[in-house]
Amino acid sequence: MPDRYESRVERQIREAQERGEFDNLPGAGRPLPGHGGTDDENWWIREWVRRENLTGLAPTSLKIRKEAEDLLGRLAKESSEQSVRAVVTDLNQRIRQAHRGLVDGPPVVLRTFDVDEVVETWRRRRRSG
C-alpha cells in the first residue's frame, strides 16, 4: 500500500506531536470554552464579541430590544421631564418602525411605552433616589 501524501503543514504538526509540543496544554481534554454542548454554530462569534468588548455590531432590531430593556437605567441620567419624554418618544417611534419591518434584524415584538407612565416612574425614582 503506497504511503499517503503528507502536506508540509501536516508534517510539521506530526513532528510537533512526536516531540510532545502539544502535551499538557492548558485546557487539554476539556471542551472549548463557551461551547456548552449546544448546537449553536455561532457560539465562538458571540464569545469573541464579548471578549473583545465589541459594540455596534448588532442588527437594528436587537439594538432596539436592548435599549427597551435598559430604558429606566438610561432615563436615570436624564435631568428633565422634557428630555425623558423625548427619549421615550424616540424609542417608541423606532419600535413602530421595527413593527412595520423597516429595520434590519429579527422581528421586534415589543409594545410601545406609555410616555406618561414612564415619566411618572422616572419622577418617583428621582424623589426616592
Side-chain angles (χ1 to χ4, degrees), residues 22-34:
F22 297 120
D23 296 348
N24 302 317
L25 290 174
R30 291 191 299 251
L32 293 171

Side-chain angles (χ1 to χ4, degrees), residues 31-92:
L32 293 171
H35 190 57
T38 64
D39 291 333
D40 180 10
E41 63 190 34
N42 295 319
W43 68 268
W44 64 275
I45 294 172
R46 280 188 255 300
E47 178 61 23
W48 174 69
V49 167
R50 184 200 59 75
R51 187 178 60 247
E52 299 297 324
N53 197 26
L54 300 174
T55 58
L57 299 175
T60 303
S61 65
L62 295 182
K63 289 177 186 177
I64 291 171
R65 286 188 204 178
K66 179 69 173 147
E67 190 174 339
E69 282 178 25
D70 299 340
L71 181 62
L72 292 179
R74 158 81 169 81
L75 295 178
K77 299 172 188 166
E78 296 300 326
S79 59
S80 73
E81 181 179 320
Q82 183 180 7
S83 62
V84 169
R85 286 183 181 279
V87 168
V88 177
T89 300
D90 176 64
L91 178 57
N92 280 343

Side-chain angles (χ1 to χ4, degrees), residues 5-18:
Y5 170 76
E6 182 179 57
S7 74
R8 179 173 173 245
V9 172
E10 289 172 323
R11 181 177 45 79
Q12 289 175 325
I13 291 171
R14 181 184 49 75
E15 290 172 355
Q17 285 174 320
E18 289 170 357

